[in-house]
Amino acid sequence: MKLFKIAVALMALSLSVPSIGQALVPQAEANVDRAQANLQRIYPQIPWGTPAPSSVEGWLMVPIIGSPEAIYVSNDGEHLFTGKVFRISGNSPVDIEEERMMPERAEKLANYDLSEALIYPASSEKKARIYVFTDVSCGYCRRFHGQLDELNDAGVEVVYLAYPRDTQSRQPTAYRTMTGVWCSRDPKGSLNEAFAGESFQAANCSDAVRDQYNFGSSLGVNSTPHIFLEDGTKIPGAQPTEVLLQQLGI
């Protein structure tokens, strides 16, 4: 992911911007081979996938292997676009990249082993499930944690997955705390204490925290709390209970 972000920054500095007239010239046929060859020649360090037709006429979508990211290349293989593209034909704008990734994310979430997740069940009839990537060092995560009872009472099952943001740093304080929480005899109680400021020693009971962090990264998580609905919808950031319930149709 870092490699891709650096490459995108380089693109912004080094690529010449085509004129609007050039960018809008329609192409009769997509030149997949040329698009792939140009990308691999200029950015060989990025593991490009195979260009495929996109929902934007005249542009190919090129996935990046091992990343949820993708870019767009013109059908002639000569121009590159990075950034969000919205479809505006309906009542509200639709991020076509998010739309593309939702089914894949939904499948990954449905098939992920939740045996080491912290699950807070609905108080009565379960009406929906949300997946929340959390970090004990995150103030907004702490605020969201205070909403669990409201969500559970409204019929929402909350699945907590660990995403300590400092996992890859030299001093992974939150990572160590969360491994201690996940390895404790009472992870839910320990999580409450961790959000209240208690410290925990890292333990080696399992790789659950690192596995969940890696899983979150594969879904595009880059901040906390990061919420996913069962259909793959991504909701970055803490949301008031009433807003979440509205998004869930409850």
Side-chain angles (χ1 to χ4, degrees):
M1 291 292 288
K2 290 183 178 179
L3 181 63
F4 173 62
K5 291 177 181 177
I6 292 170
V8 169
L10 291 174
M11 290 177 192
L13 293 173
S14 62
L15 287 178
S16 59
V17 179
S19 70
I20 291 178
Q22 287 176 311
L24 296 181
V25 173
Q27 303 296 325
E29 263 183 52
N31 195 327
V32 172
D33 291 340
R34 179 183 293 176
Q36 199 158 31
N38 283 343
L39 288 172
Q40 290 175 347
R41 186 185 72 257
I42 297 174
Y43 301 104
Q45 72 275 34
I46 297 178
W48 301 109
T50 302
S54 77
S55 59
V56 182
E57 185 177 354
W59 290 83
L60 295 163
M61 186 275 294
V62 188
I64 296 171
I65 298 171
S67 167
E69 307 281 356
I71 64 164
Y72 291 84
V73 176
S74 56
N75 274 357
D76 61 4
E78 297 293 330
H79 299 94
L80 169 66
F81 173 80
T82 63
K84 289 187 175 296
V85 181
F86 292 88
R87 186 172 60 251
I88 56 173
S89 55
N91 294 327
S92 58
V94 176
D95 184 333
I96 65 171
E97 187 64 12
E98 277 296 300
E99 186 178 59
R100 178 186 70 85
M101 291 190 293
M102 279 176 58
E104 180 182 342
R105 285 198 299 244
E107 183 178 2
K108 285 184 175 181
L109 288 164
N111 292 327
Y112 189 72
D113 180 5
L114 298 180
S115 60
E116 295 188 275
L118 303 189
I119 301 177
Y120 295 78
S123 301
S124 53
E125 177 191 358
K126 187 176 90 170
K127 299 176 182 177
R129 167 191 279 178
I130 61 174
Y131 302 83
V132 183
F133 287 86
T134 191
D135 179 349
V136 294
S137 68
C138 159
Y140 288 105
C141 296
R142 186 179 305 112
R143 180 187 301 177
F144 179 85
H145 192 64
Q147 300 171 218
L148 289 185
D149 287 343
E150 294 176 352
L151 288 165
N152 293 157
D153 289 345
V156 181
E157 179 181 82
V158 180
V159 177
Y160 261 167
L161 296 161
Y163 196 85
R165 295 164 297 168
D166 64 3
T167 295
Q168 296 180 334
S169 71
R170 293 183 178 181
Q171 296 294 329
T173 305
Y175 172 79
R176 290 169 179 162
T177 296
M178 294 186 79
T179 56
V181 167
W182 253 251
C183 290
S184 69
R185 292 183 178 180
D186 177 16
K188 289 183 181 179
S190 296
L191 186 64
N192 291 336
E193 294 173 8
F195 273 126
E198 295 290 330
S199 60
F200 289 81
Q201 293 296 318
N204 295 316
C205 66
S206 74
D207 293 323
V209 170
R210 187 171 294 276
D211 288 346
Q212 290 172 19
Y213 173 87
N214 291 337
F215 177 54
S217 296
S218 77
L219 296 174
V221 175
N222 54 18
S223 61
T224 53
H226 223 96
I227 303 167
F228 291 93
L229 309 189
E230 291 179 276
D231 66 359
T233 297
K234 181 173 72 168
I235 306 173
Q239 302 290 327
T241 300
E242 57 272 19
V243 172
L244 274 175
L245 294 179
Q246 184 177 19
Q247 290 175 308
L248 289 164
I250 298 175

